[in-house]
Amino acid sequence: MDSTEIEQFLKIKKSEIEEQLPEYIAKLSAPEKLKEAMTYSLKAGGKRIRPLLLLGTLHSFGKVEKVGLPVACAIEMIHTYSLIHDDLPSMDNDDLRRGKPTNHKVFGEASAILAGDGLLTLSFQIIADSMEEQLSPKQKLALISGLAKAAGPEGMVGGQIADMEGEGSVLSLKDLEYIHIHKTGKLLAYSVMAGAIIADANKEQLYMLEQFAHHLGLAFQIRDDILDIEGSEELIGKPVGSDTENNKNTYPALLTIQGAKEKLSFHIDEAKRFLYSVDMKHDILNYMCNLIASRDH
Amino acid sequence: MDSTEIEQFLKIKKSEIEEQLPEYIAKLSAPEKLKEAMTYSLKAGGKRIRPLLLLGTLHSFGKVEKVGLPVACAIEMIHTYSLIHDDLPSMDNDDLRRGKPTNHKVFGEASAILAGDGLLTLSFQIIADSMEEQLSPKQKLALISGLAKAAGPEGMVGGQIADMEGEGSVLSLKDLEYIHIHKTGKLLAYSVMAGAIIADANKEQLYMLEQFAHHLGLAFQIRDDILDIEGSEELIGKPVGSDTENNKNTYPALLTIQGAKEKLSFHIDEAKRFLYSVDMKHDILNYMCNLIASRDH
């Protein structure tokens, strides 16, 4: 596909994901206030980069993307729950997310905690109950186990604690990478791996794609840090320079902005090297690499 | 078994559960602070009634209880996470739980939220990764799906929101039952159902046990409400009369204490009627019925 076709593909898949997400909530038999709070954050926009990575990986293996839609939605629910809990007063205490009031600002703190708990729990139910006949029970279990590892104490939750603990002190590059690999990297990597599991990739392909996703995840975070300095306030949806102001540990703070850009290039190159070592179509994932390296929000 | 043997059985199983629970945390590769916070609440005691219901059900079907231990621990982790989040300042704002400082009092609010998130996520990983060969992938998926339903928006999380929304107004018996069926009933019922799923019970047995567990769950909650009035402060670990003082919706408030006791008897009788309609051993589950009806904490 040329880049116009890829953009079209990503646009269509994004709207399929965004159509499906609130459907899962709408059909729940649960109190309306909870459903509203869960739906509010699911509908609050975002790049949907994780579910798109999953569907893009399926496309790369020549598989019908539809079979991956439930797992793609489950990942986005986990990501959404993590943003709701991160924004809470006792965590980052953010009033705005993507330019809109955060969940607890609209629904109150208790409801926001429960909306997050609800999304986290529902994500596992969606995979376990997925009716896709192409998925075997063994594949579903591998998908559930992988999601729990990526999101739980050995993944995202662990990274979040490490991030909090590192606040106020200057971290080494190694410590900073630990935080990012766990806080954002593992779930991004899982998005690719989930696509590969659904596509029945072999062990070597899984390994190469894990390396690909690892470097992609770090590149994603470095770009985030650079955008905080060089980005447009309107596009990133928060004040430029807020990381510096809050004395956050970032790649530019540790490596200078030039050093951070070199690091970004390195990880994008590595990601592509592993990507092209897998015998499959590369166009969409290659495009997403470039997108992540140069995104403006 | 006579009652001494049953007491011995429950005591041994309880200590097996309490030995296993922290093991799951100890082997995690995660920041120490997170592991400490998760372990603190897992070790904070409690009756372990949910995992014991699961193991008791397995015993009733003549199955080796060991095969159910991972799922039993997963249920107790879900229960523990729900207590940590319920105790938070923005929820019930409790400083003490079972006579000990609550999780956020010891580790801070952010860590308590994350410890809860970690326990919730880990519970699904434990079932998905369980090495018990007697469990088929299909059984594991049924166990995961059932746990997510019991704990999520259609279960516990939904009940918690309904409880919060009902605060300050006088509820009908129907609304009060909705709250309790969801907030505590569904997870208690799942504990029995999980045992039945592992024991490969047939459809009719599953239905009868679901009815049994439904009534048991309501009885459990009514006893809780009665204890708040007639219990010993030392044994229940919180001030007697705190529900009345906080204008909580309870069975005695709605039905008088005598009415609540009659309701309790009714649900215990119904539970036993369904229990004895299932062709299996009844001694342990019958004993647990009596325990729940007359417990002093």
Side-chain angles (χ1 to χ4, degrees), chain A residues 28-31 33 81 85 90-91 109-110 113-114 117 120-121 124-125 129 145 148-149 153-154 157-158 165, chain B residues 28-31 33 81 85 90-91 109-110 113-114 117 120-121 124-125 129 145 148-149 153-154 157-158 165 178:
Chain A
L28 289 177
S29 165
K33 185 172 181 191
Y81 120 74
H85 282 193
S90 62
M91 309 273 261
E109 210 174 321
I113 293 171
L114 290 167
D117 293 345
L120 170 54
T121 313
F124 293 105
Q125 190 177 330
D129 289 353
S145 167
K149 278 198 195 91
E154 300 191 311
V157 170
E165 293 224 285
Chain B
L28 289 177
S29 164
K33 185 173 181 188
Y81 119 75
H85 282 193
S90 61
M91 310 272 262
E109 210 174 321
I113 293 171
L114 290 167
D117 294 345
L120 169 55
T121 313
F124 293 105
Q125 191 178 330
D129 290 351
S145 166
K149 278 197 194 92
E154 299 190 311
V157 170
E165 293 223 286
Y178 177 92

Side-chain angles (χ1 to χ4, degrees), chain B residues 5-22:
Chain B
E5 287 167 317
I6 294 175
E7 274 165 35
Q8 194 57 22
F9 171 90
L10 292 174
K11 202 176 147 187
I12 291 170
K13 293 303 153 198
K14 185 167 186 264
S15 73
E16 283 175 12
I17 294 157
E18 294 187 330
E19 231 165 77
Q20 187 55 52
L21 279 170

Side-chain angles (χ1 to χ4, degrees), chain A residues 14-291:
Chain A
K14 186 168 186 262
S15 72
E16 283 174 10
I17 294 157
E18 295 185 331
E19 231 166 77
Q20 187 56 52
L21 279 171
E23 287 295 313
Y24 281 114
I25 313 300
K27 68 184 175 200
L28 289 177
S29 165
E32 279 310 312
K33 185 172 181 191
L34 178 66
K35 290 168 73 168
E36 272 174 43
M38 291 167 78
T39 306
Y40 175 80
S41 290
L42 281 179
K43 279 187 162 175
K47 298 176 285 293
R48 315 295 188 190
I49 204 145
R50 292 160 192 80
L52 287 174
L53 276 172
L54 189 157
L55 301 184
T57 304
L58 277 177
H59 175 90
S60 306
F61 279 106
K63 300 280 172 184
V64 183
E65 296 92 28
K66 194 183 154 289
V67 61
L69 199 56
V71 186
C73 288
I75 297 173
E76 190 67 9
M77 285 187 188
I78 295 265
H79 174 57
T80 304
Y81 120 74
S82 78
L83 300 181
I84 297 174
H85 282 193
D86 276 11
D87 287 338
L88 287 167
S90 62
M91 309 273 261
D92 287 352
N93 194 20
D94 279 318
D95 294 351
L96 291 174
R97 158 80 59 185
R98 295 168 189 148
K100 289 178 192 154
T102 45
N103 198 291
H104 65 271
K105 280 281 154 190
V106 179
F107 299 96
E109 210 174 321
S111 297
I113 293 171
L114 290 167
D117 293 345
L119 287 167
L120 170 54
T121 313
L122 184 60
S123 68
F124 293 105
Q125 190 177 330
I126 286 171
I127 302 178
D129 289 353
S130 150
M131 300 296 281
E132 305 294 337
E133 280 170 18
Q134 296 96 322
L135 284 183
S136 71
K138 275 199 175 178
Q139 277 174 309
K140 289 189 197 172
L141 284 176
L143 290 164
I144 289 167
S145 167
L147 182 58
K149 278 198 195 91
E154 300 191 311
M156 197 173 67
V157 170
Q160 179 67 13
I161 281 263
D163 192 12
M164 281 166 35
E165 293 224 285
E167 266 172 33
S169 49
V170 177
L171 298 181
S172 67
L173 185 61
K174 200 176 147 229
D175 289 341
L176 186 64
E177 287 203 336
Y178 177 92
I179 291 171
H180 292 314
I181 287 170
H182 290 79
K183 198 176 159 177
T184 56
K186 295 260 176 188
L187 192 61
L188 270 171
Y190 170 77
S191 308
V192 174
M193 301 307 282
I197 290 169
I198 296 170
D200 249 330
N202 64 36
K203 263 196 170 173
E204 202 202 323
Q205 291 171 324
L206 284 173
Y207 173 78
M208 293 300 179
L209 285 171
E210 198 168 14
Q211 297 305 309
F212 157 72
H214 167 81
H215 289 288
L216 192 69
L218 282 170
F220 182 87
Q221 189 57 48
I222 299 170
R223 183 69 197 157
D224 222 49
D225 287 354
I226 293 172
L227 279 176
D228 185 70
I229 294 172
E230 295 190 342
S232 138
E233 196 154 315
E234 208 179 322
L235 290 173
I236 63 174
K238 60 172 186 175
V240 169
S242 66
D243 287 349
T244 316
E245 202 167 308
N246 297 324
N247 277 319
K248 288 234 174 184
N249 284 289
T250 66
Y251 285 90
L254 223 67
L255 304 172
T256 75
I257 184 96
Q258 188 52 35
K261 284 179 180 176
E262 278 160 22
K263 200 91 186 154
L264 172 62
S265 286
F266 167 78
H267 286 299
I268 289 290
D269 289 349
E270 283 294 283
K272 287 188 179 178
R273 190 166 68 82
F274 283 106
L275 174 63
Y276 280 88
S277 75
V278 184
D279 182 25
M280 57 174 193
K281 283 184 272 182
H282 306 107
D283 49 0
I284 289 183
L285 293 179
N286 182 66
Y287 183 91
M288 292 187 78
C289 267
N290 293 337
L291 204 68

Side-chain angles (χ1 to χ4, degrees), chain B residues 4 23 26 32 62 90 111 115 126 149 210 220 223 228 231 251 261 268 270-271 284 288:
Chain B
T4 320
E23 287 296 312
E32 278 312 312
S90 61
S111 296
I126 286 171
K149 278 197 194 92
E210 197 167 15
F220 182 87
R223 184 67 196 157
D228 185 71
Y251 286 89
K261 284 179 180 176
I268 289 290
E270 282 295 282
I284 289 183
M288 291 187 78

